[in-house]
Amino acid sequence: MSHKKIALDFITQIIAGNISEAYEKYTSSNFTHHNAYTKAGKENLAEAMLKNEVEFPGKILKVYHVIEEENIVALHSHIKTNEGAAGIAVVHICRFEIEKIAELWDIGMMLPKEAINADGAFK
């Protein structure tokens, strides 16, 4: 399976609420993350994602770009808590070791209901 496919399936499964399964299948034993709002450690990020799923079940994901260079994959996505929400523009960057995600960065931008920029975050 390609790194692009693994990264896309990992994020898709996380948003669908299959957090434990996604971590088990796609992350390495030495997985690290760089989320500034969550304590270091694989277990801490997974726990934060589980709490988010309880608070916001049924999130909606639309992936616009998946870019791969060597052992790095970046996904540019739109995540909404529900159909009426403006949502968040997110970039997930995954560094791979062999066929597993070893490191994860996530950068997000809250989207306004009415964007000033007519080009939008995804055009």
Side-chain angles (χ1 to χ4, degrees):
M1 186 180 295
S2 73
H3 290 163
K4 278 179 156 180
K5 172 73 174 123
I6 292 169
L8 184 58
D9 200 46
F10 176 72
I11 296 303
T12 300
Q13 292 303 312
I14 294 292
I15 298 302
N18 303 321
I19 294 127
S20 298
E21 297 87 347
Y23 269 83
E24 178 67 30
K25 186 172 182 179
Y26 295 121
T27 63
S28 68
S29 59
N30 64 332
F31 174 89
T32 59
H33 73 86
H34 302 279
N35 184 303
Y37 297 99
T38 307
K39 289 182 182 180
K42 179 178 184 172
E43 298 78 15
N44 292 321
L45 187 59
E47 182 179 321
M49 290 177 170
L50 286 165
K51 286 179 182 176
N52 183 273
E53 177 59 24
V54 169
E55 188 173 351
F56 303 107
K59 289 182 287 300
I60 301 161
L61 169 70
K62 183 168 183 181
V63 177
Y64 286 85
H65 304 99
V66 183
I67 303 163
E68 182 173 7
E69 183 177 307
E70 297 180 17
N71 67 335
I72 303 287
V73 174
L75 298 100
H76 175 224
S77 308
H78 187 188
I79 300 173
K80 299 193 295 185
T81 54
N82 59 64
E83 194 59 51
I88 304 169
V90 181
V91 175
H92 288 95
I93 303 170
C94 303
R95 183 181 62 79
F96 283 80
E97 289 180 359
I98 310 196
E99 298 300 316
K100 299 282 186 174
I101 300 169
E103 199 164 10
L104 176 69
W105 293 263
D106 55 338
I107 303 118
M109 175 178 63
M110 296 295 293
L111 297 172
K113 288 265 188 198
E114 302 275 331
I116 295 170
N117 184 338
D119 293 331
F122 303 106
K123 290 183 182 179

